[in-house]
Amino acid sequence: LLLLSASFACNDTKPRDTISAGQLNGGWNNLSLKVDIHSKKNSDSSEVFEVNRPEWEGRLKIKPIRTFFREDSTWNSAHYNLHDSLVYNPSGKWWIEGDSLVMMQQFPSIDITRYALTVNNDTASFTAMLDWDEDGKKDDKYFGQQVKVKK
């Protein structure tokens, strides 16, 4: 779930329908994330959860998430704890539809999420509705940024 929150941002000057799969191929590291949690845990309260790179490890107790998009349309999102041990690694298939990134998670559970995606040089952003608070409803607005790992 954190991966799907972990994610992509930028000020794209290209038309949004020109995103290609080639722009995402490779490794990406989280820069920031923001989630507007609607009716937290099915209650009357809402909340904003926001984390930027400088505070990432202190607040989340994990290293910035490393997401890998491969040419064979597979992805995984490696979550390492502060001792460099892999603690969570969701994976699945991905594809581009117009200006959207579709991620079908196949492990550890099945889920499909469509992200509005923009890419600008080595920075990407995506926005989606997620079930961040795990209340059974995809009613939480997620916005995340990632930077491409240099080879």
Side-chain angles (χ1 to χ4, degrees):
L1 176 63
L2 193 54
L3 150 73
L4 299 178
S5 48
S7 308
F8 298 112
C10 66
N11 298 321
D12 197 3
T13 58
K14 298 183 297 185
R16 294 195 67 197
D17 61 353
T18 61
I19 295 167
S20 71
Q23 290 175 279
L24 283 184
N25 287 333
W28 296 80
N29 286 340
N30 278 82
L31 289 174
S32 65
L33 68 87
K34 178 181 178 181
V35 185
D36 294 322
I37 304 167
H38 179 73
S39 63
K40 186 176 180 183
K41 299 281 187 188
N42 287 319
S43 71
D44 290 336
S45 66
S46 294
E47 176 181 306
V48 175
F49 180 78
E50 190 167 9
V51 180
N52 294 308
R53 187 65 172 259
E55 58 192 14
W56 189 277
E57 293 181 14
R59 294 209 40 216
L60 297 176
K61 306 301 182 211
I62 62 170
K63 302 264 178 139
I65 300 163
R66 302 174 195 172
T67 301
F68 302 91
F69 293 98
R70 294 177 195 79
E71 291 181 16
D72 67 357
S73 297
T74 61
W75 66 269
N76 74 290
S77 188
H79 296 62
Y80 287 88
N81 67 19
L82 299 179
H83 303 289
D84 290 321
S85 295
L86 184 64
V87 294
Y88 183 60
N89 195 22
S91 60
K93 296 282 189 180
W94 69 278
W95 61 91
I96 300 292
E97 288 183 2
D99 66 350
S100 297
L101 166 65
V102 181
M103 294 178 73
M104 179 175 65
Q105 180 177 298
Q106 297 171 307
F107 178 83
S109 60
I110 304 294
D111 187 43
I112 295 178
T113 303
R114 178 182 299 270
Y115 294 88
L117 173 67
T118 56
V119 178
N120 184 18
N121 298 320
D122 65 349
T123 305
S125 69
F126 57 114
T127 304
M129 297 303 289
L130 304 175
D131 182 14
W132 179 266
D133 59 355
E134 299 178 329
D135 65 359
K137 299 176 193 162
K138 285 191 173 187
D139 62 351
D140 307 314
K141 187 174 183 179
Y142 168 82
F143 175 77
Q145 296 183 324
Q146 289 191 6
V147 63
K148 193 161 197 171
V149 176
K150 305 280 189 224
K151 291 184 179 183

